[in-house]
Amino acid sequence: MTLELDVPGWHGAMAGQHVDVRLTAEDGYSTQRSYSLASPGTMGLPGGPVTSERIALTVQVVDDGEVSPYLTEDLQIGDQLELRGPIGNWFVWHATDPHPVQLIGGGSGLVPLMSMVRTRRSAASSSPFRLLVSVRTPADALYADELAVLGPDVAITHVWTRTGPPGFDGPLGRVDAAVLQDACFPPDLNAHVFVCGPTPFVELVADTLVDLGHDPDRIRTERFGPTGP
């Protein structure tokens, strides 16, 4: 579910940054979670910053979670949340950068990458973009309608790990070296690469890209979830 929040005093963010959301119960117990911004970046644009106090967060429901069920099932229009951010200056894309951009997302790791895609559109950037998305089934695919109409200037590759869409007769499975070699910009184009998703996915993709000849200094990663198997 995507939530739109009005944040008084918000001064903007760069594509790829995130915020911390904190909830506090009546008994004083509090907990917080980090969520990537799904809305376009409003700072670092060619024409200067865009003033907007509204942001968008896409929240994936965790069945036994403390925060996501509340945000997606109980939160009502007009309710207030505590927010901290924007956070992070490493996993960001600047719309003034003309280099090719390779985006690789696993599951909800697509969220900050979508912010970059939306920023590219709002900034009328001509930087070449490619997007590789790994997802279990079409029912799990985020932003499916928006991705379907992006146009030919953003090349999109879907990797279905369990079930493909109706009429799909391609292979099912996880991202591997062959998939990355086919879908990504070649190493000699020196593209900026952004990889986001569960920790095992991110580590596998980043290591494989280096093995394929990509410059590790141009690969930026953002991961979530446990570090174990």
Side-chain angles (χ1 to χ4, degrees), residues 94-113:
H94 300 279
T96 55
D97 191 331
H99 289 86
V101 176
Q102 178 67 57
L103 308 175
I104 304 172
S108 60
L110 176 60
V111 177
L113 309 183

Side-chain angles (χ1 to χ4, degrees), residues 90-93 97 99-105 113 116 128 130 132 180 184-187 189-196 202 205-210 213-222:
W90 167 252
F91 195 81
V92 296
W93 175 70
D97 191 331
H99 289 86
V101 176
Q102 178 67 57
L103 308 175
I104 304 172
L113 309 183
M116 297 178 188
R130 291 188 184 182
L132 171 61
L180 291 171
C184 296
F185 287 109
L189 291 185
N190 294 317
H192 291 301
V193 182
F194 296 89
V195 187
C196 185
V202 170
V205 169
D207 290 345
T208 304
L209 288 172
V210 173
H214 289 265
D215 183 352
D217 291 336
R218 303 185 78 85
I219 301 173
R220 302 199 172 189
T221 60
E222 185 83 12

Side-chain angles (χ1 to χ4, degrees), residues 49-92:
V50 175
T51 302
S52 174
E53 292 189 335
R54 176 165 291 190
I55 65 172
L57 309 178
T58 298
V59 179
Q60 183 179 31
V61 179
V62 179
D63 291 336
D64 58 351
E66 289 184 307
V67 176
S68 63
Y70 174 81
L71 293 178
T72 57
E73 298 170 11
D74 299 329
L75 192 68
Q76 301 295 314
I77 294 176
D79 288 350
Q80 292 189 333
L81 302 171
E82 287 186 279
L83 202 92
R84 184 171 71 94
I87 302 169
N89 293 311
W90 167 252
F91 195 81
V92 296

Side-chain angles (χ1 to χ4, degrees), residues 4 24 27-28 31 38 53 63 90 105 111 117 124 147 158 196 217:
E4 291 192 352
T24 302
D27 62 2
T31 186
E53 292 189 335
D63 291 336
W90 167 252
V111 177
V117 170
L147 291 178
H158 279 94
C196 185
D217 291 336

Side-chain angles (χ1 to χ4, degrees), residues 157-175:
T157 301
H158 279 94
V159 176
W160 308 103
T161 63
R162 294 186 183 178
T163 305
F168 177 77
D169 59 359
L172 300 173
R174 300 185 182 276
V175 173

